[in-house]
Amino acid sequence: MPNTKKPTVLIVGAGLGGLLLGALLEKAEISYTIFERALVVRPLGSGLIVGPNLLPLFEQLEIMDEFIALGKATTENIISREKGGPLCTVSTLVHKEMTGYYNYNIPRALLYDLLLKQVPAHKIYFGERVIAIKETWDKVRIHTSRRDIYDQKERTYEGDILVGADGAYSTVRQQLYERLKKEGKLPLTDQEDLPFHSTCLVGQTRPIDMDLFPEFQQPLCPFYNTMAANEPFTWIIGATAQRTITWMVIHNLDSVSSKAAEQERAWNGENSEWGPSAAQAMIEQTRHYPLPIGTKKMTMGDIYDATPKELISKVMLEEKVFETWYSGRVVLLGDACHKLNPSGAHGAVTSMHDAIALANLIYALPSNPTSGDIKQAFSEYQTERIPHVMESFENSQLLSKFMNRNMTGWIAFFLMKGLPDWVFRITKRKM
């Protein structure tokens, strides 16, 4: 009988996108292995908003009930000035009416653990940093830094497809781009540094006395977004089902930068995407900012003091959509091919949407796929995803301009403020 099989997939990066891709391939009974350079992944950060755009998939994966138990439903984002009171309330109740699902705030670490449980432990190799990628007409191989215990040679793994899901400073992308640049096939924009327009301080408090925040004890809990009066800072707080507060403080910079971000990543070392360094100065700079809620006058300093130091991180918020998402048997996913500003709350969700699209196309590949079959699948993947990624990218940039009091952002804000729910309903009927 002929030897027929689905492709073997190597996934580099055990972030949310890589884990979800692994979970979907597991469900589809497609062979895969995940490689993560960190010995232990510490999914730092704040909360994530997950709702109708992912919950139907969680139902298919049979993790919906567990997710609902971990998340806290939210239907409003209340936007205020530091001095001057509320500007508007943006409601997402129309999403519930249209889809049947609420949006939920869930700590990033808990969503990570939930997805991690969907992947058998023996299919994830931690402490495996990719140092070389070799591709032939019928296979792709990766060499990792971990040595074999017998002959001390670099470990080598072979597959049909290599997925780079290893973040904004992706090793897979860097090596792929080096090869394409030597061949004269890399667009000039893909050779430029990752720019960033803002920095961000993120964290999550320990469980606290929610009697201090009666606003957070509502069944449908709002988010609070406050803009500084005379400085380019915005702070956002929200509650979780675990009686903690997830928070984010964004500093919009006067000019674009990139080299400092690369140095920051290099200094941080493993899992530097959410590394905890360089946070203290920004903490001191923003401690005095007042909270818009609570039974007594409190500031961001009270929130910082209630947050374990190891759960506070300062990160650079790079923004870029790369032109080149794939070549040969190598394809990129999530932040490795598009990095979004968190103002739109689309970054992690967009990465997971990539995983869904890519898993579907890998599942649809014929048995014993040729290089041509794989190239066609990758082309369809980018064609399917790029319009949605660009829309999220542009929306996130627009919202970040609003937070920076940019004129374009103010125009977008007043349009958003006055947009009636029937616009969403008409859009739904057209779709």
Side-chain angles (χ1 to χ4, degrees), residues 98-127:
M98 291 166 57
T99 67
Y101 300 98
Y102 285 113
N103 288 292
Y104 292 85
N105 180 31
I106 182 171
R108 187 184 186 94
L110 294 185
L111 180 58
Y112 183 90
D113 289 342
L114 179 59
L115 292 180
L116 183 64
K117 289 195 298 185
Q118 312 313 308
V119 178
H122 69 276
K123 293 190 177 182
I124 304 182
Y125 293 170
F126 290 97

PDB file of all heavy atoms in Angstrom, residues 98-127:
ATOM      1  N   MET A  98     -25.844  40.286  18.986  1.00  0.00           N
ATOM      2  CA  MET A  98     -25.570  39.769  17.649  1.00  0.00           C
ATOM      3  C   MET A  98     -25.088  38.324  17.660  1.00  0.00           C
ATOM      4  O   MET A  98     -25.393  37.557  16.749  1.00  0.00           O
ATOM      5  CB  MET A  98     -24.515  40.643  16.966  1.00  0.00           C
ATOM      6  CG  MET A  98     -24.991  42.036  16.599  1.00  0.00           C
ATOM      7  SD  MET A  98     -23.614  43.141  16.162  1.00  0.00           S
ATOM      8  CE  MET A  98     -22.837  42.229  14.830  1.00  0.00           C
ATOM      9  N   THR A  99     -24.331  37.935  18.682  1.00  0.00           N
ATOM     10  CA  THR A  99     -23.645  36.640  18.657  1.00  0.00           C
ATOM     11  C   THR A  99     -24.080  35.676  19.749  1.00  0.00           C
ATOM     12  O   THR A  99     -23.849  34.470  19.633  1.00  0.00           O
ATOM     13  CB  THR A  99     -22.127  36.850  18.798  1.00  0.00           C
ATOM     14  OG1 THR A  99     -21.838  37.359  20.114  1.00  0.00           O
ATOM     15  CG2 THR A  99     -21.608  37.829  17.758  1.00  0.00           C
ATOM     16  N   GLY A 100     -24.631  36.205  20.837  1.00  0.00           N
ATOM     17  CA  GLY A 100     -24.969  35.352  21.975  1.00  0.00           C
ATOM     18  C   GLY A 100     -23.849  35.212  22.978  1.00  0.00           C
ATOM     19  O   GLY A 100     -24.002  34.524  23.994  1.00  0.00           O
ATOM     20  N   TYR A 101     -22.710  35.892  22.743  1.00  0.00           N
ATOM     21  CA  TYR A 101     -21.556  35.773  23.630  1.00  0.00           C
ATOM     22  C   TYR A 101     -21.196  37.133  24.227  1.00  0.00           C
ATOM     23  O   TYR A 101     -21.199  38.148  23.532  1.00  0.00           O
ATOM     24  CB  TYR A 101     -20.328  35.247  22.881  1.00  0.00           C
ATOM     25  CG  TYR A 101     -20.498  33.891  22.249  1.00  0.00           C
ATOM     26  CD1 TYR A 101     -20.811  33.770  20.899  1.00  0.00           C
ATOM     27  CD2 TYR A 101     -20.325  32.732  23.000  1.00  0.00           C
ATOM     28  CE1 TYR A 101     -20.951  32.525  20.306  1.00  0.00           C
ATOM     29  CE2 TYR A 101     -20.468  31.474  22.412  1.00  0.00           C
ATOM     30  CZ  TYR A 101     -20.784  31.382  21.071  1.00  0.00           C
ATOM     31  OH  TYR A 101     -20.924  30.150  20.492  1.00  0.00           O
ATOM     32  N   TYR A 102     -20.822  37.122  25.497  1.00  0.00           N
ATOM     33  CA  TYR A 102     -20.241  38.305  26.124  1.00  0.00           C
ATOM     34  C   TYR A 102     -18.746  38.370  25.808  1.00  0.00           C
ATOM     35  O   TYR A 102     -18.135  37.378  25.365  1.00  0.00           O
ATOM     36  CB  TYR A 102     -20.399  38.251  27.643  1.00  0.00           C
ATOM     37  CG  TYR A 102     -21.788  38.542  28.151  1.00  0.00           C
ATOM     38  CD1 TYR A 102     -22.548  37.541  28.773  1.00  0.00           C
ATOM     39  CD2 TYR A 102     -22.343  39.808  28.037  1.00  0.00           C
ATOM     40  CE1 TYR A 102     -23.827  37.806  29.247  1.00  0.00           C
ATOM     41  CE2 TYR A 102     -23.618  40.087  28.520  1.00  0.00           C
ATOM     42  CZ  TYR A 102     -24.354  39.080  29.114  1.00  0.00           C
ATOM     43  OH  TYR A 102     -25.613  39.342  29.585  1.00  0.00           O
ATOM     44  N   ASN A 103     -18.155  39.529  26.071  1.00  0.00           N
ATOM     45  CA  ASN A 103     -16.702  39.646  26.156  1.00  0.00           C
ATOM     46  C   ASN A 103     -16.288  39.355  27.597  1.00  0.00           C
ATOM     47  O   ASN A 103     -17.007  39.703  28.538  1.00  0.00           O
ATOM     48  CB  ASN A 103     -16.245  41.055  25.769  1.00  0.00           C
ATOM     49  CG  ASN A 103     -16.371  41.306  24.285  1.00  0.00           C
ATOM     50  OD1 ASN A 103     -15.662  40.720  23.485  1.00  0.00           O
ATOM     51  ND2 ASN A 103     -17.289  42.190  23.911  1.00  0.00           N
ATOM     52  N   TYR A 104     -15.134  38.730  27.757  1.00  0.00           N
ATOM     53  CA  TYR A 104     -14.650  38.372  29.089  1.00  0.00           C
ATOM     54  C   TYR A 104     -13.230  38.901  29.282  1.00  0.00           C
ATOM     55  O   TYR A 104     -12.398  38.853  28.367  1.00  0.00           O
ATOM     56  CB  TYR A 104     -14.637  36.852  29.283  1.00  0.00           C
ATOM     57  CG  TYR A 104     -16.007  36.230  29.329  1.00  0.00           C
ATOM     58  CD1 TYR A 104     -16.678  35.886  28.158  1.00  0.00           C
ATOM     59  CD2 TYR A 104     -16.649  36.006  30.542  1.00  0.00           C
ATOM     60  CE1 TYR A 104     -17.947  35.329  28.192  1.00  0.00           C
ATOM     61  CE2 TYR A 104     -17.913  35.442  30.594  1.00  0.00           C
ATOM     62  CZ  TYR A 104     -18.555  35.112  29.413  1.00  0.00           C
ATOM     63  OH  TYR A 104     -19.815  34.566  29.462  1.00  0.00           O
ATOM     64  N   ASN A 105     -12.964  39.393  30.490  1.00  0.00           N
ATOM     65  CA  ASN A 105     -11.609  39.721  30.896  1.00  0.00           C
ATOM     66  C   ASN A 105     -11.033  38.505  31.609  1.00  0.00           C
ATOM     67  O   ASN A 105     -11.599  38.022  32.598  1.00  0.00           O
ATOM     68  CB  ASN A 105     -11.596  40.930  31.840  1.00  0.00           C
ATOM     69  CG  ASN A 105     -10.186  41.297  32.275  1.00  0.00           C
ATOM     70  OD1 ASN A 105      -9.236  41.110  31.539  1.00  0.00           O
ATOM     71  ND2 ASN A 105     -10.057  41.837  33.488  1.00  0.00           N
ATOM     72  N   ILE A 106      -9.910  38.009  31.106  1.00  0.00           N
ATOM     73  CA  ILE A 106      -9.274  36.841  31.716  1.00  0.00           C
ATOM     74  C   ILE A 106      -7.786  37.127  31.871  1.00  0.00           C
ATOM     75  O   ILE A 106      -7.160  37.668  30.960  1.00  0.00           O
ATOM     76  CB  ILE A 106      -9.498  35.560  30.865  1.00  0.00           C
ATOM     77  CG1 ILE A 106      -8.872  34.349  31.558  1.00  0.00           C
ATOM     78  CG2 ILE A 106      -8.991  35.732  29.448  1.00  0.00           C
ATOM     79  CD1 ILE A 106      -9.242  33.025  30.901  1.00  0.00           C
ATOM     80  N   PRO A 107      -7.207  36.837  33.031  1.00  0.00           N
ATOM     81  CA  PRO A 107      -5.765  37.030  33.180  1.00  0.00           C
ATOM     82  C   PRO A 107      -5.008  36.228  32.122  1.00  0.00           C
ATOM     83  O   PRO A 107      -5.344  35.068  31.845  1.00  0.00           O
ATOM     84  CB  PRO A 107      -5.481  36.495  34.592  1.00  0.00           C
ATOM     85  CG  PRO A 107      -6.777  36.672  35.324  1.00  0.00           C
ATOM     86  CD  PRO A 107      -7.840  36.402  34.293  1.00  0.00           C
ATOM     87  N   ARG A 108      -4.023  36.846  31.535  1.00  0.00           N
ATOM     88  CA  ARG A 108      -3.253  36.202  30.473  1.00  0.00           C
ATOM     89  C   ARG A 108      -2.684  34.854  30.926  1.00  0.00           C
ATOM     90  O   ARG A 108      -2.720  33.878  30.173  1.00  0.00           O
ATOM     91  CB  ARG A 108      -2.113  37.137  30.051  1.00  0.00           C
ATOM     92  CG  ARG A 108      -1.336  36.667  28.830  1.00  0.00           C
ATOM     93  CD  ARG A 108      -0.175  37.600  28.542  1.00  0.00           C
ATOM     94  NE  ARG A 108       0.485  37.241  27.302  1.00  0.00           N
ATOM     95  CZ  ARG A 108       0.209  37.779  26.122  1.00  0.00           C
ATOM     96  NH1 ARG A 108      -0.725  38.710  26.034  1.00  0.00           N
ATOM     97  NH2 ARG A 108       0.844  37.398  25.034  1.00  0.00           N
ATOM     98  N   ALA A 109      -2.194  34.805  32.160  1.00  0.00           N
ATOM     99  CA  ALA A 109      -1.585  33.566  32.658  1.00  0.00           C
ATOM    100  C   ALA A 109      -2.601  32.429  32.726  1.00  0.00           C
ATOM    101  O   ALA A 109      -2.264  31.272  32.459  1.00  0.00           O
ATOM    102  CB  ALA A 109      -0.967  33.803  34.030  1.00  0.00           C
ATOM    103  N   LEU A 110      -3.853  32.732  33.082  1.00  0.00           N
ATOM    104  CA  LEU A 110      -4.858  31.673  33.194  1.00  0.00           C
ATOM    105  C   LEU A 110      -5.279  31.156  31.819  1.00  0.00           C
ATOM    106  O   LEU A 110      -5.506  29.957  31.646  1.00  0.00           O
ATOM    107  CB  LEU A 110      -6.081  32.186  33.961  1.00  0.00           C
ATOM    108  CG  LEU A 110      -5.840  32.538  35.434  1.00  0.00           C
ATOM    109  CD1 LEU A 110      -7.155  32.906  36.105  1.00  0.00           C
ATOM    110  CD2 LEU A 110      -5.180  31.375  36.169  1.00  0.00           C
ATOM    111  N   LEU A 111      -5.390  32.060  30.837  1.00  0.00           N
ATOM    112  CA  LEU A 111      -5.696  31.601  29.483  1.00  0.00           C
ATOM    113  C   LEU A 111      -4.549  30.762  28.946  1.00  0.00           C
ATOM    114  O   LEU A 111      -4.774  29.736  28.286  1.00  0.00           O
ATOM    115  CB  LEU A 111      -5.953  32.794  28.568  1.00  0.00           C
ATOM    116  CG  LEU A 111      -6.290  32.446  27.114  1.00  0.00           C
ATOM    117  CD1 LEU A 111      -7.520  31.545  27.029  1.00  0.00           C
ATOM    118  CD2 LEU A 111      -6.490  33.705  26.286  1.00  0.00           C
ATOM    119  N   TYR A 112      -3.328  31.174  29.255  1.00  0.00           N
ATOM    120  CA  TYR A 112      -2.161  30.398  28.833  1.00  0.00           C
ATOM    121  C   TYR A 112      -2.208  28.981  29.416  1.00  0.00           C
ATOM    122  O   TYR A 112      -2.018  27.990  28.710  1.00  0.00           O
ATOM    123  CB  TYR A 112      -0.878  31.112  29.273  1.00  0.00           C
ATOM    124  CG  TYR A 112       0.379  30.409  28.810  1.00  0.00           C
ATOM    125  CD1 TYR A 112       0.958  30.717  27.585  1.00  0.00           C
ATOM    126  CD2 TYR A 112       0.979  29.423  29.588  1.00  0.00           C
ATOM    127  CE1 TYR A 112       2.091  30.070  27.151  1.00  0.00           C
ATOM    128  CE2 TYR A 112       2.114  28.768  29.158  1.00  0.00           C
ATOM    129  CZ  TYR A 112       2.667  29.094  27.934  1.00  0.00           C
ATOM    130  OH  TYR A 112       3.796  28.432  27.502  1.00  0.00           O
ATOM    131  N   ASP A 113      -2.462  28.884  30.707  1.00  0.00           N
ATOM    132  CA  ASP A 113      -2.515  27.567  31.351  1.00  0.00           C
ATOM    133  C   ASP A 113      -3.638  26.705  30.764  1.00  0.00           C
ATOM    134  O   ASP A 113      -3.484  25.486  30.620  1.00  0.00           O
ATOM    135  CB  ASP A 113      -2.714  27.725  32.859  1.00  0.00           C
ATOM    136  CG  ASP A 113      -1.472  28.264  33.553  1.00  0.00           C
ATOM    137  OD1 ASP A 113      -0.386  28.191  32.960  1.00  0.00           O
ATOM    138  OD2 ASP A 113      -1.600  28.758  34.685  1.00  0.00           O
ATOM    139  N   LEU A 114      -4.762  27.332  30.441  1.00  0.00           N
ATOM    140  CA  LEU A 114      -5.883  26.584  29.869  1.00  0.00           C
ATOM    141  C   LEU A 114      -5.501  25.983  28.521  1.00  0.00           C
ATOM    142  O   LEU A 114      -5.807  24.809  28.239  1.00  0.00           O
ATOM    143  CB  LEU A 114      -7.092  27.506  29.726  1.00  0.00           C
ATOM    144  CG  LEU A 114      -8.360  26.893  29.120  1.00  0.00           C
ATOM    145  CD1 LEU A 114      -8.849  25.712  29.947  1.00  0.00           C
ATOM    146  CD2 LEU A 114      -9.452  27.951  28.983  1.00  0.00           C
ATOM    147  N   LEU A 115      -4.830  26.762  27.669  1.00  0.00           N
ATOM    148  CA  LEU A 115      -4.407  26.241  26.368  1.00  0.00           C
ATOM    149  C   LEU A 115      -3.271  25.230  26.517  1.00  0.00           C
ATOM    150  O   LEU A 115      -3.203  24.251  25.769  1.00  0.00           O
ATOM    151  CB  LEU A 115      -3.972  27.391  25.464  1.00  0.00           C
ATOM    152  CG  LEU A 115      -5.088  28.353  25.014  1.00  0.00           C
ATOM    153  CD1 LEU A 115      -4.528  29.445  24.124  1.00  0.00           C
ATOM    154  CD2 LEU A 115      -6.208  27.608  24.291  1.00  0.00           C
ATOM    155  N   LEU A 116      -2.396  25.471  27.485  1.00  0.00           N
ATOM    156  CA  LEU A 116      -1.284  24.549  27.700  1.00  0.00           C
ATOM    157  C   LEU A 116      -1.793  23.151  28.038  1.00  0.00           C
ATOM    158  O   LEU A 116      -1.210  22.137  27.635  1.00  0.00           O
ATOM    159  CB  LEU A 116      -0.384  25.076  28.819  1.00  0.00           C
ATOM    160  CG  LEU A 116       0.883  24.274  29.130  1.00  0.00           C
ATOM    161  CD1 LEU A 116       1.824  24.271  27.941  1.00  0.00           C
ATOM    162  CD2 LEU A 116       1.589  24.869  30.351  1.00  0.00           C
ATOM    163  N   LYS A 117      -2.907  23.069  28.763  1.00  0.00           N
ATOM    164  CA  LYS A 117      -3.469  21.773  29.140  1.00  0.00           C
ATOM    165  C   LYS A 117      -4.023  21.005  27.941  1.00  0.00           C
ATOM    166  O   LYS A 117      -4.242  19.801  28.040  1.00  0.00           O
ATOM    167  CB  LYS A 117      -4.579  21.960  30.172  1.00  0.00           C
ATOM    168  CG  LYS A 117      -4.081  22.379  31.552  1.00  0.00           C
ATOM    169  CD  LYS A 117      -5.148  22.201  32.612  1.00  0.00           C
ATOM    170  CE  LYS A 117      -6.359  23.047  32.358  1.00  0.00           C
ATOM    171  NZ  LYS A 117      -7.355  22.956  33.458  1.00  0.00           N
ATOM    172  N   GLN A 118      -4.242  21.687  26.818  1.00  0.00           N
ATOM    173  CA  GLN A 118      -4.788  21.023  25.640  1.00  0.00           C
ATOM    174  C   GLN A 118      -3.704  20.333  24.813  1.00  0.00           C
ATOM    175  O   GLN A 118      -4.002  19.635  23.850  1.00  0.00           O
ATOM    176  CB  GLN A 118      -5.539  22.026  24.755  1.00  0.00           C
ATOM    177  CG  GLN A 118      -6.523  22.917  25.483  1.00  0.00           C
ATOM    178  CD  GLN A 118      -7.423  22.159  26.436  1.00  0.00           C
ATOM    179  OE1 GLN A 118      -8.063  21.179  26.047  1.00  0.00           O
ATOM    180  NE2 GLN A 118      -7.487  22.626  27.679  1.00  0.00           N
ATOM    181  N   VAL A 119      -2.443  20.544  25.209  1.00  0.00           N
ATOM    182  CA  VAL A 119      -1.312  19.969  24.472  1.00  0.00           C
ATOM    183  C   VAL A 119      -0.605  18.961  25.362  1.00  0.00           C
ATOM    184  O   VAL A 119      -0.161  19.321  26.466  1.00  0.00           O
ATOM    185  CB  VAL A 119      -0.332  21.073  24.031  1.00  0.00           C
ATOM    186  CG1 VAL A 119       0.869  20.468  23.315  1.00  0.00           C
ATOM    187  CG2 VAL A 119      -1.031  22.093  23.127  1.00  0.00           C
ATOM    188  N   PRO A 120      -0.500  17.701  24.951  1.00  0.00           N
ATOM    189  CA  PRO A 120       0.212  16.706  25.781  1.00  0.00           C
ATOM    190  C   PRO A 120       1.632  17.171  26.099  1.00  0.00           C
ATOM    191  O   PRO A 120       2.327  17.726  25.239  1.00  0.00           O
ATOM    192  CB  PRO A 120       0.218  15.457  24.892  1.00  0.00           C
ATOM    193  CG  PRO A 120      -0.966  15.628  23.987  1.00  0.00           C
ATOM    194  CD  PRO A 120      -1.052  17.094  23.725  1.00  0.00           C
ATOM    195  N   ALA A 121       2.053  16.941  27.333  1.00  0.00           N
ATOM    196  CA  ALA A 121       3.350  17.448  27.798  1.00  0.00           C
ATOM    197  C   ALA A 121       4.507  16.949  26.944  1.00  0.00           C
ATOM    198  O   ALA A 121       5.493  17.678  26.732  1.00  0.00           O
ATOM    199  CB  ALA A 121       3.567  17.045  29.259  1.00  0.00           C
ATOM    200  N   HIS A 122       4.401  15.717  26.410  1.00  0.00           N
ATOM    201  CA  HIS A 122       5.532  15.175  25.655  1.00  0.00           C
ATOM    202  C   HIS A 122       5.671  15.805  24.268  1.00  0.00           C
ATOM    203  O   HIS A 122       6.644  15.539  23.560  1.00  0.00           O
ATOM    204  CB  HIS A 122       5.382  13.651  25.508  1.00  0.00           C
ATOM    205  CG  HIS A 122       4.258  13.214  24.620  1.00  0.00           C
ATOM    206  ND1 HIS A 122       2.961  13.087  25.074  1.00  0.00           N
ATOM    207  CD2 HIS A 122       4.230  12.888  23.314  1.00  0.00           C
ATOM    208  CE1 HIS A 122       2.181  12.685  24.088  1.00  0.00           C
ATOM    209  NE2 HIS A 122       2.920  12.560  23.000  1.00  0.00           N
ATOM    210  N   LYS A 123       4.726  16.664  23.898  1.00  0.00           N
ATOM    211  CA  LYS A 123       4.811  17.312  22.589  1.00  0.00           C
ATOM    212  C   LYS A 123       5.347  18.739  22.674  1.00  0.00           C
ATOM    213  O   LYS A 123       5.371  19.451  21.675  1.00  0.00           O
ATOM    214  CB  LYS A 123       3.437  17.306  21.909  1.00  0.00           C
ATOM    215  CG  LYS A 123       2.966  15.901  21.543  1.00  0.00           C
ATOM    216  CD  LYS A 123       1.742  15.923  20.658  1.00  0.00           C
ATOM    217  CE  LYS A 123       1.352  14.498  20.248  1.00  0.00           C
ATOM    218  NZ  LYS A 123       0.187  14.489  19.332  1.00  0.00           N
ATOM    219  N   ILE A 124       5.779  19.160  23.862  1.00  0.00           N
ATOM    220  CA  ILE A 124       6.406  20.469  24.028  1.00  0.00           C
ATOM    221  C   ILE A 124       7.805  20.278  24.605  1.00  0.00           C
ATOM    222  O   ILE A 124       7.968  19.654  25.653  1.00  0.00           O
ATOM    223  CB  ILE A 124       5.596  21.382  24.963  1.00  0.00           C
ATOM    224  CG1 ILE A 124       4.158  21.550  24.468  1.00  0.00           C
ATOM    225  CG2 ILE A 124       6.256  22.759  25.054  1.00  0.00           C
ATOM    226  CD1 ILE A 124       3.324  22.478  25.330  1.00  0.00           C
ATOM    227  N   TYR A 125       8.809  20.804  23.913  1.00  0.00           N
ATOM    228  CA  TYR A 125      10.180  20.761  24.387  1.00  0.00           C
ATOM    229  C   TYR A 125      10.570  22.157  24.862  1.00  0.00           C
ATOM    230  O   TYR A 125      10.673  23.084  24.061  1.00  0.00           O
ATOM    231  CB  TYR A 125      11.142  20.323  23.278  1.00  0.00           C
ATOM    232  CG  TYR A 125      10.970  18.895  22.817  1.00  0.00           C
ATOM    233  CD1 TYR A 125      11.624  18.429  21.674  1.00  0.00           C
ATOM    234  CD2 TYR A 125      10.176  17.989  23.512  1.00  0.00           C
ATOM    235  CE1 TYR A 125      11.492  17.122  21.243  1.00  0.00           C
ATOM    236  CE2 TYR A 125      10.033  16.682  23.095  1.00  0.00           C
ATOM    237  CZ  TYR A 125      10.691  16.252  21.954  1.00  0.00           C
ATOM    238  OH  TYR A 125      10.539  14.951  21.544  1.00  0.00           O
ATOM    239  N   PHE A 126      10.784  22.303  26.155  1.00  0.00           N
ATOM    240  CA  PHE A 126      11.233  23.575  26.705  1.00  0.00           C
ATOM    241  C   PHE A 126      12.764  23.621  26.722  1.00  0.00           C
ATOM    242  O   PHE A 126      13.427  22.582  26.744  1.00  0.00           O
ATOM    243  CB  PHE A 126      10.679  23.776  28.114  1.00  0.00           C
ATOM    244  CG  PHE A 126       9.197  24.024  28.149  1.00  0.00           C
ATOM    245  CD1 PHE A 126       8.296  22.994  28.406  1.00  0.00           C
ATOM    246  CD2 PHE A 126       8.691  25.292  27.906  1.00  0.00           C
ATOM    247  CE1 PHE A 126       6.932  23.213  28.432  1.00  0.00           C
ATOM    248  CE2 PHE A 126       7.326  25.536  27.931  1.00  0.00           C
ATOM    249  CZ  PHE A 126       6.443  24.495  28.198  1.00  0.00           C
ATOM    250  N   GLY A 127      13.321  24.831  26.739  1.00  0.00           N
ATOM    251  CA  GLY A 127      14.772  24.976  26.732  1.00  0.00           C
ATOM    252  C   GLY A 127      15.400  24.607  25.409  1.00  0.00           C
ATOM    253  O   GLY A 127      16.588  24.281  25.358  1.00  0.00           O
TER     254      GLY A 127
END
